[in-house]
């Protein structure tokens, strides 16, 4: 994709794996979130994950409410799909 999210996606996977998740699960989550979110939102979420729980949480909370809702919805949907072998 133009502008790409490759670096952000790699950051997201690294952060996920460093939290103790399986690499396959982390890749599934990153792929799904990249698909479901626009590039700017995906990049923000990836950076938030890489920043750690406290700083990352603040980054998400600073997003507009409609974006937060999209992020939470995508995380729940993608998380369920990946957890059940998606």
């Amino acid at each position: 994709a133009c502008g790409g999210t490759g670096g952000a996606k790699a950051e997201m996977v690294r952060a996920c794996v460093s939290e103790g998740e399986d690499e396959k699960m982390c890749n599934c989550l990153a792929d799904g979130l990249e698909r479901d979110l626009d590039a700017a939102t995906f990049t923000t979420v990836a950076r938030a994950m890489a920043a750690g729980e406290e700083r990352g949480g603040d980054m998400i909370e600073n997003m507009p409410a409609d974006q937060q809702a999209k992020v939470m919805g995508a995380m729940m949907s993608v998380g369920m799909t990946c957890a059940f072998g998606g």
Side-chain angles (χ1 to χ4, degrees):
C2 256
T5 54
K9 187 173 176 180
E11 269 185 80
M12 180 181 282
V13 172
R14 269 194 305 275
C16 178
V17 170
S18 76
E19 291 293 318
E21 286 292 339
D22 177 69
E23 189 169 352
K24 184 177 178 186
M25 175 70 157
C26 294
N27 278 301
C28 180
L29 291 169
D31 288 342
L33 291 173
E34 184 179 42
R35 180 190 65 237
D36 291 356
L37 300 172
D38 63 85
T41 302
F42 176 81
T43 299
T44 300
V45 170
R47 289 194 175 129
M49 288 176 72
E53 194 169 330
E54 190 172 321
R55 282 189 52 228
D58 289 344
M59 290 169 76
I60 299 296
E61 287 175 21
N62 288 330
M63 296 171 87
D66 63 323
Q67 272 190 303
Q68 286 183 39
K70 284 181 192 170
V71 169
M72 294 308 149
M75 286 184 157
M76 288 175 61
S77 171
V78 169
M80 292 298 284
T81 299
C82 293
F84 293 104

